């Protein structure tokens, strides 16, 4: 996969702390895409420690890994 995509309900693990986060929302970002301009960037809403926050796809790829053992990239 050329861009980071995450599904609602997907479990992620923060690399620095080992805490889990759940993807609970998704929307397109208004930021300019990197690389191929035909592929839009996305924002994902993560639920972590009882709080939710919107994060960009590239930020999630840098800070988290997938709980199934594969990298977020």
């Amino acid at each position: 996969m050329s861009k980071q995509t995450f599904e609602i309900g997907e479990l992620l693990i923060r690399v620095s702390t080992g805490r889990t986060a759940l993807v609970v929302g998704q929307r397109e970002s208004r930021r300019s895409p990197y690389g191929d301009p035909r592929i839009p960037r996305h924002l994902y809403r993560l639920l972590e420690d009882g709080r939710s926050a919107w994060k960009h796809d590239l930020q999630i790829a840098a800070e988290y890994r997938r709980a199934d053992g594969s990298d977020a990239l």
Side-chain angles (χ1 to χ4, degrees), residues 17 20 22 24 27-28 32 38 41 43 45 52 61 65 67-68 71 73:
T17 63
T20 58
L22 183 65
V24 294
R27 69 179 184 206
E28 245 182 66
S32 300
R38 295 172 292 169
R41 292 188 59 195
L43 284 166
R45 188 171 193 155
S52 67
R65 64 179 172 83
D68 65 5
D71 289 335
L73 286 172

Side-chain angles (χ1 to χ4, degrees), residues 49-69:
D49 291 333
R51 293 178 289 224
S52 67
W54 288 97
K55 296 188 179 199
H56 279 95
D57 49 6
L58 295 175
Q59 182 181 5
I60 294 172
E63 296 178 1
Y64 295 87
R65 64 179 172 83
R66 297 183 195 270
D68 65 5

